[in-house]
Amino acid sequence: MLPVARPHRHDVLLAILGLSGGVVLWLVGIHIQNGPLFDAPWVSLLPLVAVSALELLRRSVPCTALAVGTLALVADQFTVGSLATLLMYTDLVYAAVLYGSPAASRRIPVVTLLATVAATAGFAAWVPSPDALLIGIVIGMVLVGPALTGAAVRNHRDAAEAARLRADQTALLAEMDRVQAVAAERSRMARELHDMVANHLSAIAIHSTAALSIDDPGTSREALGVIRRNSVDGLTEMRRLIGLLRDGDTSGPPSAAPTLGSLDALVEQAGANSASSGLTVTLDDGREEPEPLPAPVELAAYRIVQESLTNALKHAVPGPVTVRLGRSGTALTVEVSSVFGDRPGPRAPGSGAGLVGMRERVALLGGTIGAGPGLRGDGETIWLVRAELPVEERTRRS
C-alpha cells in the first residue's frame, strides 16, 4: 500500500474553514437550490464533508481529488446544495492544474472549456430561454475560471524555476571559469618564477660546486663573485615578482616585462656565468630591421632564450653557444644551439620544468617549438632549441 503524503498545513486550514463555513450556512438555512430530489437539509452535509476531506489531498493526489470531487459536486446537485461545497470544488480544479502532472495541467483547461460549452448548449436545447446562457456563465466560473487561473500560476512558477536553474547554471559556469582562471594564473606564475630564478640558481650551483671541488684561491674568489652577482640578481627578480603579485603594492615604480632589447644584457650575463665552464655565448640577430613586437611575443622569446641558456650552462659541452633571431613572414624565429655530448665536471640538476614552460608559452601564442640533438654544418652534434612565434596581435589558448 502506497503511503499518502502528509497534508500541507494550508490544505488542512482550507478543509477546516470550508467545512466550518458549510456547517454555518447549513445551520442558518442558506441553500442554493429549491425543490431537489433529496430535500432533507442534512443530506447536503454529505457532499460537503466529502469535498472538505478531498481538500487534504489537493497537493498529493490532485487529479484523484478532482475526479472524486466532481462526483461529490454532482451528488450535491440532488440536495438543497451548499455554497461552501461549490467553492471548495473550484479550489480542487485550481489545485489539479497547479499541482497535477504537466499533461493534466494542459488537458484540464481544455476539458473544462468543452464541458462548459456542452452544458450551455444542452441547457439551451432543454430550456430555450436566456436563463440557459446564465447557467453556462456560472458553470464557466466554476470550471474554466479556476482552471485558467491554475494554468497561469503554474506557468509563472515554471518560468521562475527555469530562471532559477539558469541562474544556478550561470553561477556554476562562473565558478568553473574562476577555477580555470586560477589554475591558468598559477601555471603562469610557476613559469615566471622558474624562468626568472632558475638561471641564477643554476649558476650559483655550478660555481659553488666548482669552488668546493677545486682547491684554488683564485678559482674560489671568481666563483664567489659569480655567486654573489647571481644571488643579488635572483633576489631582485624575486622582489619584482612578489611586487607584481602583492595586491595594492605601489611602493615602487612598475617593472617592465623583459623584451628582445634586453637580450644583449642576458647574453653578456650568461657568458660571464659560463666562462669557467668553457662556454662562449654569442648573439646573432638576423632580422633586417629590428622593430618592436607584441609584448607577449617578446616576453616569450626572451624567456625561451633565458631557459635555453640556463640549460646550456647546466648540460652543454665546452664550446660555442649561439643565440639566433630571425624573421620569416609573420613569424619570429628563435634558435639557441650548444655543443651536445657528455660534459665533464660539475653539473646542476634539472627538473624538466623549463622545457615544459617553453612549450606552454609557445602554445599560448599559437607557435611551434622543437628541442633535441642535431648536426651542425661541420658535422658536429649540437643541441638545438628552435621556436617560431607568430608576431600578429592574437593569442590562442589551448
Side-chain angles (χ1 to χ4, degrees):
M1 183 176 179
L2 295 176
V4 179
R6 183 177 180 180
H8 194 275
R9 61 178 182 274
H10 293 166
D11 300 340
V12 175
L13 181 61
L14 283 175
I16 294 175
L17 291 178
L19 181 61
S20 302
V23 171
V24 169
L25 293 175
W26 177 79
L27 290 175
V28 298
I30 298 177
H31 309 295
I32 60 176
Q33 296 184 124
N34 293 318
L37 181 61
F38 301 99
D39 55 359
W42 65 268
V43 179
S44 63
L45 294 177
L46 299 179
L48 174 66
V49 173
V51 175
S52 300
L54 292 173
E55 286 280 44
L56 302 176
L57 308 176
R58 61 192 295 273
R59 295 175 192 261
S60 56
V61 283
C63 293
T64 301
L66 176 61
V68 178
T70 302
L71 297 177
L73 182 65
V74 172
D76 188 62
Q77 304 308 307
F78 296 97
T79 68
V80 293
S82 174
L83 180 61
T85 302
L86 185 63
L87 293 178
M88 284 191 288
Y89 177 78
T90 61
D91 180 67
L92 293 179
V93 177
Y94 167 82
V97 177
L98 181 60
Y99 302 116
S101 64
S105 67
R106 292 190 300 268
R107 294 170 183 168
I108 291 176
V110 177
V111 172
T112 55
L113 179 61
L114 294 177
T116 301
V117 173
T120 303
F123 278 108
W126 182 30
V127 183
S129 67
D131 294 340
L133 181 60
L134 180 61
I135 294 175
I137 293 175
V138 173
I139 295 175
M141 293 175 60
V142 174
L143 297 179
V144 180
L148 294 180
T149 303
V153 174
R154 180 166 185 148
N155 288 336
H156 285 292
R157 186 188 66 180
D158 293 344
E161 180 66 16
R164 186 189 65 81
L165 291 177
R166 286 195 298 269
D168 292 343
Q169 292 174 352
T170 301
L172 179 60
L173 292 175
E175 177 64 16
M176 293 174 62
D177 289 341
R178 187 193 68 81
V179 172
Q180 292 177 356
V182 170
E185 183 64 15
R186 291 180 62 181
S187 178
R188 186 191 67 81
M189 291 167 54
R191 286 195 304 269
E192 288 294 324
L193 180 61
H194 178 275
D195 292 342
M196 287 192 304
V197 180
N199 188 22
H200 301 297
L201 293 183
S202 298
I204 291 173
I206 290 175
H207 285 82
S208 62
T209 303
L212 292 173
S213 59
I214 301 175
D215 188 12
D216 179 68
T219 302
S220 299
R221 185 175 183 84
E222 180 183 357
L224 289 175
V226 175
I227 290 173
R228 182 185 182 282
R229 182 170 60 253
N230 281 277
S231 299
V232 173
D233 292 343
L235 288 174
T236 302
E237 294 288 349
M238 284 292 294
R239 282 195 293 268
R240 172 181 173 272
L241 178 61
I242 294 173
L244 292 175
L245 296 178
R246 184 179 293 122
D247 294 335
D249 183 15
T250 57
S251 57
S255 301
T259 64
L260 293 179
S262 307
L263 282 183
D264 290 332
L266 177 64
V267 169
E268 182 181 354
Q269 181 187 21
N273 292 338
S274 59
S276 61
S277 302
L279 303 179
T280 57
V281 185
T282 58
L283 172 63
D284 180 12
D285 191 347
R287 296 175 296 169
E288 295 181 358
E289 296 181 0
E291 58 183 6
L293 300 177
V297 176
E298 295 214 5
L299 176 60
Y302 182 92
R303 294 304 187 196
I304 290 172
V305 173
Q306 185 182 45
E307 179 58 29
S308 299
L309 293 178
T310 300
N311 290 338
L313 176 62
K314 293 190 291 186
H315 307 294
V317 174
V321 179
T322 305
V323 179
R324 292 186 180 88
L325 298 179
R327 178 73 178 269
S328 58
T330 59
L332 173 69
T333 304
V334 180
E335 291 185 359
V336 181
S337 62
S338 58
V339 182
F340 180 73
D342 294 331
R343 171 180 172 174
R347 300 178 62 181
S351 63
L355 292 175
V356 174
M358 287 192 292
R359 293 191 181 97
E360 289 178 348
R361 288 184 183 276
V362 173
L364 288 173
L365 295 174
T368 59
I369 186 172
L375 292 178
R376 204 160 50 188
D378 56 3
E380 187 175 19
T381 303
I382 61 172
W383 181 270
L384 178 64
V385 177
R386 188 177 191 277
E388 290 187 1
L389 305 175
V391 297
E392 298 178 358
E393 285 283 6
R394 60 183 177 86
T395 58
R396 176 174 60 86
R397 297 188 177 273
S398 57

